[in-house]
Amino acid sequence: MALPASGQITMNQVNVELGNSGTAQIDMNSAAVRGLFGIASGEIEMADGYGASNTLYKFTQTSNGRNSGMNINSNVLTSLNRTYTFECWARPLGTSGEMWLLSQYIVVDGRTAHGMRNQKMATFCGGDGSWFDSTTNMGTSLAHYAYVSNGDGSVSLWRNGSYAGNTGTGHNNNTNAPNTNTIIGSSSNAGGVGTGSEYRSWRINSNRLYTGTGNFTPPSVSGGLTNVSGTVALWDGKSNTATDASSNHSFSANNITFATV
């Protein structure tokens, strides 16, 4: 069930959608209501909740992950010495070969993949740093993964908020991202991809949301990735379609399956 798409929304309806008693005490500024309405901070009103649903979804790539994912239909990793955060909640479907959580890949300098290699959390930038393999095993359990491109040619990695290393400044230094679409998953001409993944949500933000070498508490797996300032593309797990919750792009789905969580 979802909240009405137009007209009046009552607090009783909001409570029921959140799984509460219809007469329970509720605060519009609570994390639960903000998460349901998709308004992380600032002013919030009932109209923000039109069509909102507390049902969460996942999407799953093909088992080998090749030519499978969500196409953003735009190049969103554009700037020289680019600065951005890519993060997702995902579960690897296996441990063989590479797994690409995000790719912007044609065989030119600057082609990028964030994911797994040799069962370790890893990142790639062709033409400069090539592969960087961390010592952090990704396993096959659901986890939060964050890859932060720092704007100095380096990329920092975290799994479940635990620091997994830094590539060093030569990794993507002075290398523009190629003029091709950014894909959550892999393209048809993927390199060594051999494993797909199940995604609960993902976000690309133009800021460094995580910095330094310390640990952090990841956003909740249940609707925790929201449209915060700087978000350029977002699938928040609240739709069983390839829908950009940041309203910046028109996504398309390729060889992926949606299901409720």
Side-chain angles (χ1 to χ4, degrees):
M1 187 177 177
L3 295 178
S6 61
Q8 183 182 17
I9 300 175
T10 67
M11 295 306 290
N12 178 286
Q13 291 170 318
V14 175
N15 260 322
V16 170
E17 189 62 32
L18 289 171
N20 304 325
S21 163
T23 57
Q25 185 175 355
I26 192 168
D27 178 2
M28 284 289 289
N29 197 42
S30 68
V33 174
R34 285 191 174 276
L36 176 63
F37 284 21
I39 306 296
S41 60
E43 185 178 350
I44 185 171
E45 57 185 33
M46 293 300 281
D48 293 323
Y50 281 146
S53 172
N54 203 40
T55 301
L56 295 175
Y57 298 89
K58 60 185 178 182
F59 75 83
T60 306
Q61 294 177 268
T62 58
S63 59
N64 66 13
R66 298 186 71 85
N67 194 24
S68 176
M70 197 176 287
N71 192 330
I72 301 176
N73 295 314
S74 179
N75 174 354
V76 298
L77 311 181
T78 56
S79 300
L80 189 69
N81 285 335
R82 47 204 187 269
T83 299
Y84 64 84
T85 298
F86 165 65
E87 61 185 312
C88 64
W89 278 95
R91 180 181 68 84
L93 299 179
T95 57
S96 62
E98 299 165 9
M99 180 191 69
W100 293 5
L101 295 171
L102 175 149
S103 65
Q104 193 159 304
Y105 188 91
I106 52 177
V107 184
V108 296
D109 286 358
R111 61 193 186 275
T112 297
H114 298 310
M116 174 186 76
R117 192 172 81 116
N118 301 322
Q119 302 183 30
K120 308 297 185 183
M121 192 175 180
T123 185
F124 175 88
C125 182
D128 277 303
S130 296
W131 277 105
F132 167 81
D133 301 328
S134 76
T135 59
T136 297
N137 196 308
M138 291 182 75
T140 56
S141 299
L142 181 68
H144 177 267
Y145 296 102
Y147 301 79
V148 178
S149 184
N150 294 300
D152 61 359
S154 71
V155 179
S156 299
L157 292 73
W158 286 264
R159 182 184 185 275
N160 280 338
S162 295
Y163 184 65
N166 180 282
T167 64
T169 56
H171 188 69
N172 61 5
N173 200 28
N174 296 321
T175 307
N176 280 308
N179 187 22
T180 189
N181 291 345
T182 307
I183 297 174
I184 305 303
S186 76
S187 60
S188 59
N189 62 349
V193 173
T195 299
S197 184
E198 169 197 302
Y199 295 76
R200 296 292 182 89
S201 55
W202 59 266
R203 176 170 60 190
I204 300 174
N205 191 284
S206 60
N207 300 310
R208 297 166 63 211
L209 298 181
Y210 313 110
T211 58
T213 60
N215 301 335
F216 62 87
T217 300
S220 171
V221 65
S222 301
L225 295 184
T226 57
N227 190 21
V228 298
S229 178
T231 297
V232 296
L234 168 68
W235 185 72
D236 57 9
K238 296 182 180 180
S239 172
N240 62 348
T241 59
T243 302
D244 186 0
S246 75
S247 302
N248 291 319
H249 300 277
S250 296
F251 300 157
S252 56
N254 190 29
N255 297 322
I256 58 177
T257 303
F258 292 91
T260 56
V261 173

